[in-house]
Amino acid sequence: MITAERKPMAEIKAMLEPYRKILVVGCGSCVAECASGGEKEVGLLASALRMDAQMEGRTIEVQEMTLDRQCVYEFIDKLTGVVDRYDVVLSLGCGAGVQAVAEVFPDAFIVPALNTTFIGETKEPGVWIENCRACGDCKLGYFAAVCPVTRCAKGLFNGPCGGSKNGVCEVDPDTPCAWQLIVERLEKAGRTDLLEAFYPPADWSKQQGKGPRKIQREDQRSES
Amino acid sequence: MKVDSNLKNVLTKDIFAVTAECGPPKGADPGIIQKKGDILKDYTDSVNVTDNQTGVVRLSSMAACAILRQGGLDPVLQMVTRDRNRIALQSDILGASALGIRNILCLSGDHQSFGNQQQAKGVFDIDSVQLIHTVRQMRDLGQIIGGEALSEPPKLFIGAVANPFADPFDYRVIRLGKKVAAGAEFIQTQCIYNLKRFKEWMEQVRERGLDKKVYILGGVTPLKSARMAEYMSKQVAGMDVPDDIIDRMKGVEPKEQRREGIKIAVETIMALKYMEGVHGVHIMAIEWEDIVPQIVEEAGLYPRPKISEE
């Protein structure tokens, strides 16, 4: 899933400063899963904004809404007729959600409440870790399902750097050395032959070669 | 191919080689490099210039190597993949050769989060093994990555590093093998304080026959103080300073600790000199380059041979 964290309140307040009528829009997918932008967080943030305004003697109007998905036009449609009644939309979607809403409502002013962080997994309740950079050329099959692009601080393809000690990364002692994991998993699988192989320079053009990426599947496109 | 690297000439003549490290200044003063070069010139076969070590901005390695070359030294250009993509790296490889630099040491580099530009975007477009392979292809096939031909290949003796003290230990020799297969011709190791572990690693190196395929130079860093030993042991990634070394440094008066550090360095070099498969020593006297002549002399490695270019 896409993970995100709420921006500091001061930054959110600064972005909303010129506006009185605020529509707070959450997203029920990834950011709800990682407890940063779902219905609950929308409620909390909206209340905090109202309380804040009250304490400072300002009058504001805050409306809450949470879409099932903020990155799919069918769901965004639910905002039709609502958005124009507000000065600003405070989106608790990921970066894709914020931009999709802006795409559908070209005349609305949208600001993000979250910092979109990474593609990751839920390690345990309240802990999420990054494990995919969406490089567009998955090599997990050679690296025992541990991504060196993401989980090695230097993104090394041909073994650990000289800083790996006691199984942890030199950059952050709370992070396991990805290459230690790769070596251990390949040993267990009896595939140490994969450690001897030379991996040539990656093709980053699949990630960032030509600006934003697009997938177009003719079999999935509607007739209209 | 023929490369008029003094380091290569010494190693191919089976002479125990001496290289030293030279850290460039945090400024634009060429005099500092010239001064360090003058100190090291007669006591080494080749001098490495670090490439923004520990992610700290310094005078460029290539510029410093060119200055050393003007002073009659044989520099080793250290090149890290942290700061430049494959276009910039290959361009600098050609530039170095054009400037008369004849040795290159390929590394990934210390992570930028340790330096003074922690907000920098680390590049790491390619890794150190891929860089070695790239230089080798440029030199021997006259090709850049992707196969396009060069009008003139670079002339470089290709080096890499090995850290026998990092984990996972058994993988270390596999990684060395990969670097050799990719095209490394000489290896400079991380600083050796744990001789026992280094010997174990060398055994694995010999078992795989790698000492016959690559020249190995053991890394030596003289300790200045017990505090430095403790700092390196605890704070520096990939360093292995055993307790007995720290205790030995602590066991002498603070004003005698430099002397003790030099003694340990000399003893380590003597041990390396007689270790099968070790072809030389790489002295990394961090901001203490002026001690190198004394260490080289005490280790019985002075004078350095004068090899005529063939």
Side-chain angles (χ1 to χ4, degrees):
Chain A
M1 92 187 116
I2 314 279
T3 64
E5 287 180 292
R6 212 196 70 193
K7 284 179 175 291
M9 201 58 187
E11 188 183 343
I12 294 172
K13 275 177 68 183
M15 287 188 293
L16 296 177
E17 206 270 329
Y19 307 107
R20 292 291 165 266
K21 295 179 71 160
I22 302 159
L23 178 63
V24 182
V25 182
C27 175
S29 297
C30 309
V31 292
E33 197 63 38
C34 69
S36 58
E39 197 169 357
K40 190 178 158 203
E41 292 76 28
V42 165
L44 288 168
L45 182 56
S47 308
L49 290 171
R50 286 186 202 106
M51 275 168 60
D52 224 68
Q54 206 174 11
M55 302 257 287
E56 291 167 11
R58 289 182 290 118
T59 316
I60 59 165
E61 184 193 331
V62 181
Q63 165 76 28
E64 301 167 26
M65 272 185 89
T66 297
L67 309 177
D68 286 345
R69 279 184 210 166
Q70 221 182 96
C71 58
V72 178
Y73 293 166
E74 281 91 318
F75 297 104
I76 299 172
D77 256 351
K78 292 200 170 141
L79 298 174
T80 306
V82 184
V83 167
D84 1 331
R85 299 204 302 262
Y86 293 86
D87 300 337
V88 67
V89 176
L90 177 64
S91 164
L92 277 82
C94 70
V98 175
Q99 293 183 71
V101 172
E103 185 86 20
V104 174
F105 300 103
D107 299 327
F109 194 73
I110 328 277
V111 295
L114 306 182
N115 288 322
T116 307
T117 315
F118 52 76
I119 302 177
E121 69 181 54
T122 309
K123 179 86 180 156
E124 52 193 72
V127 179
W128 295 272
I129 57 160
E130 179 175 25
N131 52 19
C132 175
R133 288 269 161 89
C135 71
D137 189 15
C138 190
K139 293 188 174 69
L140 286 170
Y142 308 113
F143 302 125
V146 175
C147 176
V149 175
T150 314
R151 297 173 67 179
C152 166
K154 297 180 186 173
L156 304 181
F157 276 10
N158 286 287
C161 74
S164 167
K165 199 84 203 253
N166 303 321
V168 298
C169 177
E170 64 171 26
V171 174
D172 175 9
D174 293 331
T175 303
C177 167
W179 272 97
Q180 177 90 32
L181 299 176
I182 292 169
V183 171
E184 283 169 6
R185 288 181 70 97
L186 287 175
E187 276 171 356
K188 255 187 235 159
R191 290 304 309 274
T192 48
D193 57 303
L194 290 168
L195 291 172
E196 310 263 352
F198 170 71
Y199 297 99
D203 179 0
W204 301 119
S205 74
K206 293 176 177 175
Q207 185 180 27
Q208 53 195 31
K210 297 180 184 79
R213 290 174 280 183
K214 182 162 96 178
I215 295 174
Q216 191 159 317
R217 286 259 309 264
E218 293 311 322
D219 60 325
Q220 297 293 310
R221 304 192 79 197
S222 59
E223 294 295 313
S224 63
Chain B
M1 76 168 291
K2 187 185 158 292
V3 172
D4 58 351
S5 145
N6 186 54
L7 179 59
K8 184 182 180 183
N9 291 336
V10 167
L11 288 168
T12 49
K13 290 222 154 35
D14 219 16
I15 298 163
F16 191 82
V18 178
T19 59
E21 185 175 281
C22 161
K26 294 181 190 174
D29 182 2
I32 292 172
I33 296 292
Q34 282 155 354
K35 216 176 121 193
K36 287 184 179 181
D38 288 344
I39 292 166
L40 297 170
K41 189 178 175 185
D42 294 332
Y43 293 87
T44 57
D45 303 314
S46 223
V47 172
N48 282 50
V49 183
T50 47
D51 183 4
N52 299 299
Q53 73 265 31
T54 66
V56 169
V57 177
R58 289 173 182 274
L59 189 144
S60 93
S61 178
M62 177 140 61
C65 282
I67 293 165
L68 290 177
R69 177 91 188 158
Q70 283 166 9
L73 284 92
D74 179 46
V76 179
L77 174 78
Q78 294 199 183
M79 185 177 271
V80 303
T81 64
R82 176 193 60 221
D83 307 323
R84 281 161 291 177
N85 71 6
R86 65 191 78 178
I87 300 170
L89 291 167
Q90 292 177 100
S91 161
D92 281 354
I93 289 162
L94 298 176
S97 181
L99 285 167
I101 295 160
R102 291 291 171 259
N103 312 289
I104 186 167
L105 189 80
C106 304
L107 311 99
S108 58
D110 296 313
H111 197 265
Q112 65 276 7
S113 60
F114 295 112
N116 60 4
Q117 305 294 311
Q118 295 177 6
Q119 284 74 29
K121 183 172 182 176
V123 180
F124 300 112
D125 176 19
I126 62 174
D127 65 28
S128 57
V129 181
Q130 292 161 351
L131 179 61
I132 295 162
H133 189 255
T134 301
V135 184
R136 188 70 181 240
Q137 279 203 311
M138 290 172 81
R139 188 192 71 186
D140 294 353
L141 304 178
Q143 283 178 0
I144 57 169
I145 295 172
E148 206 178 301
L150 292 163
S151 60
E152 174 76 24
K155 299 180 181 70
L156 290 160
F157 185 41
I158 305 165
V161 297
N163 185 358
F165 310 106
D167 289 328
F169 182 60
D170 288 334
Y171 184 77
R172 288 293 143 188
V173 75
I174 298 177
R175 182 151 161 89
L176 175 70
K178 278 179 87 158
K179 288 186 173 182
V180 173
E185 296 162 304
F186 73 95
I187 296 291
Q188 290 168 322
T189 79
Q190 177 65 285
C191 324
I192 304 161
Y193 296 106
N194 189 341
L195 261 171
K196 189 173 162 276
R197 181 131 178 195
F198 185 77
K199 279 179 192 157
E200 282 168 24
W201 181 74
M202 278 306 299
E203 265 168 42
Q204 293 185 356
V205 169
R206 290 193 298 267
E207 265 169 37
R208 285 182 171 240
L210 291 171
D211 59 317
K212 304 275 186 268
K213 293 183 181 163
V214 71
Y215 299 105
I216 294 171
L217 282 69
V220 172
T221 292
L223 292 164
K224 276 181 176 170
S225 63
R227 243 186 70 215
M228 176 183 173
E230 278 185 313
Y231 175 81
M232 287 177 104
S233 159
K234 292 192 179 73
Q235 304 293 326
V236 183
M239 288 291 272
D240 180 353
V241 188
D243 288 342
D244 59 325
I245 294 282
I246 298 172
D247 292 344
R248 190 172 153 187
M249 290 297 288
K250 278 182 175 167
V252 297
E253 292 292 303
K255 63 174 172 31
E256 289 299 316
Q257 284 178 358
R258 283 185 172 226
R259 180 64 235 149
E260 198 63 22
I262 295 164
K263 263 171 80 178
I264 294 169
V266 171
E267 287 167 22
T268 308
I269 295 172
M270 299 307 276
L272 293 172
K273 229 166 126 179
Y274 299 105
M275 208 179 286
E276 194 192 335
V278 179
H279 306 86
V281 64
H282 177 51
I283 306 168
M284 294 168 275
I286 305 151
E287 288 307 306
W288 197 17
E289 286 90 346
D290 54 0
I291 202 62
V292 172
Q294 187 185 335
I295 293 172
V296 173
E297 278 193 62
E298 288 187 19
L301 295 169
Y302 183 80
R304 300 310 306 152
K306 294 273 172 277
I307 312 259
S308 58
E309 285 173 10
E310 286 159 29

